[in-house]
Amino acid sequence: MLPIHLFRTNKEQILEGLKKKHFKELDLVHKIISIDEHRRQLQTENDNLSAQINSASKTIGQLMAKGEKNQAEELKAQVAQHKEQSKHVAAKLAELEAEQQDTLVRLPNLPHISVPEGKTPEENEVVRSGGEIPDLSEQKLPHWELTAKYGLMDLELGTKITGAGFPVFMGQGARLQRALINYFLNYNIEAGYKEYCPPFMVNEASAFGTTQLPDKEGQMYHVTIDGFYLIPTAEVPVTNIYRDTIIQENELPVKMTAYSPCFRREAGSYGKDVRGLNRVHQFDKVEVVQLVHPAKSYEILDEMVKHVEKLLQSLELPYRILRLCGGDMSFSSAITYDFEVYSAAQERWLEVSSVSNFETFQTNRMKIRFKDGNGKTQLVHSLNGSSLALPRIIACLLENKQTKEGINIPAALQPYFGKSMIN
C-alpha cells in the first residue's frame, strides 16, 4: 500500500508510475488526495474542539472552586455542545479514513526507475542468460510422455482423487520431488537463511498483508467456513511472521526460507501451453524472503538474483533472466526479475522463479518496522523469490537431461536423489 504522504508531495510521480504499470483508474489518485484534504481539515477541527473542551473543563473547575456556579454552568453547556459536535466530526473522520483505506488498497505499487516501459511479456528485457541448450535427437519426448514412460507421475489419478491440475507423483518421481526440496532448502540455509515450516492456510489479515487480498482473491482457494485461505506461496505466512513487529536495526536483514505446497486456482487456464506440469493447481516450492534496511534493498535484490542464478547453474539447466516491463509486473512489485529455463522438448522458455523487491508496499500494510539510529521508526523493505518452484524445474530436468538410457541427474542433486540416473 502506498504511503499517504506520497500523495501530498509527489502526485505526479504517482501518476507517472501508475501509467508505466498501465493502471487505468488514475482518478483514484485525485480521489485519495481529496479525501485526505477533507480528513485533515476535520482532524484539525476535532483537535480544536478537544482543546476547547479541555480548556473549558479546567476553567469550570476553577469557577466551581470560587463559588461562581452560574458561569460554571454556562461553560458546562458549551462543553456539552462541543462534545456533541466532536462526536459528529469523529464519526465523519472514521468514515473518511475507511474510504481512504479502501481506495488506497486498489492502487498497485509504483515501479522502480529501472523498470522498462512496455505492456506485454514480449517487451520484457533480457538481462543475461547462461547454460547450454541441449541438442536432442528427433526422438525427444516432452515431460508428460517421460513421466508416463518412467512411471514418475499420474495426472489422471490426480483428477480421480481431486480434479484436473492436481498431479500425483510416485516412485522415482516422488523421490525427485523430495530431493529437490531438500537440496533447495539446504542451499538457502547455507546462504544464511533461517528455515521455517509455516501453516499452509492463512487468515484474511495475512492474505491482505502480502497483497493477495483484495487483488488476487479469485486465484485463491477459500475455506469459507473458517475464513482461511490456502496459500499460493510460502511468502504469505513467512512474511506475516513479522506483522505488527518493530525489528531492531542490528537484526536486519531478516533472511527466511520455507518449503510449502502452493495452491492456485489459475482460473481460465487451458490449451497446449498448460499441458503436463506447465500449469497446475497444486505444486511444491521453496521460497526465500528478506526484510531489509531501505538503504540496502536494491543491493540485496542483486544478491538474491545471483543466489537463484547460481542455484539454476548447479542444476545444469539453460536459463535466462528477464527484467519485467511495467505492464507485465505484479500488483505489489516495484521491480521483478523472472527466471526462465528452456524446455528442450517443447522448444519454449518456462518461468521457474521470480525475485521481487516490494519496497514498503507490503510492510506498510503489515506495519513491519525498525528503529533507526536516531530513534525514528521506519518501514523495512520486503523482498522475496522462488528458490525454486518445482513443476517446471522437473519438466525441464526431464526433457533436457533425457537420453536413450534414461534421465541424467545433475551432480549437485545426486547426493539427495541417491542415484545418477532415472531409468
Side-chain angles (χ1 to χ4, degrees), residues 63-172:
L63 290 172
M64 292 296 286
K66 294 176 183 179
E68 299 175 3
K69 191 173 181 180
N70 290 338
Q71 288 179 281
E73 291 299 325
E74 289 177 8
L75 270 181
K76 282 182 181 181
Q78 290 180 23
V79 167
Q81 289 180 348
H82 288 329
K83 284 183 177 179
E84 190 62 28
Q85 188 178 353
S86 179
K87 189 187 298 183
H88 289 301
V89 172
K92 183 61 179 175
L93 264 175
E95 182 183 318
L96 284 173
E97 286 168 357
E99 185 180 4
Q100 179 176 279
Q101 178 79 357
D102 290 344
T103 310
L104 275 171
V105 300
R106 293 169 61 186
L107 295 180
N109 200 0
L110 303 181
H112 187 259
I113 190 171
S114 64
V115 170
E117 299 282 351
K119 188 175 182 180
T120 67
E122 290 71 31
E123 296 168 278
N124 293 333
E125 175 187 335
V126 178
V127 176
R128 60 181 176 270
S129 59
E132 294 184 6
I133 295 174
D135 183 15
L136 300 179
S137 67
E138 293 181 1
Q139 287 79 30
K140 61 186 177 184
L141 300 176
H143 68 271
W144 52 86
E145 292 186 25
L146 290 167
T147 55
K149 178 179 178 179
Y150 294 102
L152 308 178
M153 180 190 72
D154 192 327
L155 283 169
E156 291 183 5
L157 185 56
T159 301
K160 171 186 173 182
I161 296 169
T162 306
F166 292 87
V168 175
F169 289 91
M170 59 193 71
Q172 293 181 97

Side-chain angles (χ1 to χ4, degrees), residues 201-396:
M201 290 191 289
V202 294
N203 56 30
E204 185 175 336
S206 293
F208 174 82
T210 46
T211 71
Q212 271 66 40
L213 296 180
D215 178 51
K216 299 180 180 67
E217 188 168 7
Q219 297 180 25
M220 299 178 74
Y221 286 99
H222 188 193
V223 184
T224 54
I225 293 176
D226 302 293
F228 296 154
Y229 292 85
L230 275 69
I231 61 170
T233 167
E235 167 206 345
V236 181
V238 167
T239 313
N240 272 279
I241 290 170
Y242 284 88
R243 176 158 45 97
D244 297 320
T245 298
I246 296 178
I247 305 168
Q248 296 301 314
E249 186 174 12
N250 61 8
E251 295 175 342
L252 297 175
V254 174
K255 302 174 70 173
M256 299 174 282
T257 187
Y259 152 75
S260 78
C262 303
F263 305 90
R264 300 183 186 182
R265 295 186 66 244
E266 300 281 12
S269 298
Y270 59 91
K272 64 181 178 64
D273 289 344
V274 299
R275 192 169 178 184
L277 290 170
N278 288 347
R279 185 163 295 171
V280 289
H281 295 309
Q282 177 182 320
F283 61 93
D284 293 303
K285 181 155 69 80
V286 174
E287 194 81 357
V288 286
V289 174
Q290 289 207 43
L291 303 174
V292 308
H293 194 290
K296 297 181 178 178
S297 70
Y298 279 88
E299 174 187 335
I300 289 174
L301 174 65
D302 290 340
E303 291 175 4
M304 291 178 71
V305 169
K306 291 174 183 175
H307 176 79
V308 174
E309 183 177 15
K310 288 178 181 177
L311 182 54
L312 278 175
Q313 289 170 347
S314 75
L315 293 175
E316 305 166 16
L317 291 171
Y319 68 91
R320 66 181 186 181
I321 305 172
L322 309 176
R323 184 187 288 118
L324 299 192
C325 66
D328 198 34
M329 288 168 59
S330 73
F331 180 86
S332 53
S333 173
I335 185 170
T336 294
Y337 290 92
D338 268 6
F339 289 77
E340 295 181 338
V341 171
Y342 191 73
S343 166
Q346 300 177 69
E347 298 181 346
R348 56 191 289 254
W349 292 95
L350 300 176
E351 179 197 335
V352 296
S353 174
S354 289
V355 177
S356 301
N357 188 348
F358 304 107
E359 297 184 356
T360 62
F361 196 75
Q362 292 180 331
T363 58
N364 189 27
R365 290 192 182 200
M366 289 185 278
K367 300 295 178 276
I368 306 178
R369 298 155 291 173
F370 76 100
K371 280 192 177 179
D372 63 20
N374 299 319
K376 182 181 177 182
T377 302
Q378 295 188 49
L379 294 167
V380 302
H381 281 193
S382 65
L383 302 92
N384 86 280
S386 308
S387 180
L388 292 158
L390 269 65
R392 293 172 185 170
I393 286 290
I394 288 177
C396 292

Side-chain angles (χ1 to χ4, degrees), residues 189-210:
I189 291 165
E190 288 171 6
Y193 289 86
K194 182 177 180 179
E195 183 182 0
Y196 286 85
C197 184
F200 301 149
M201 290 191 289
V202 294
N203 56 30
E204 185 175 336
S206 293
F208 174 82
T210 46

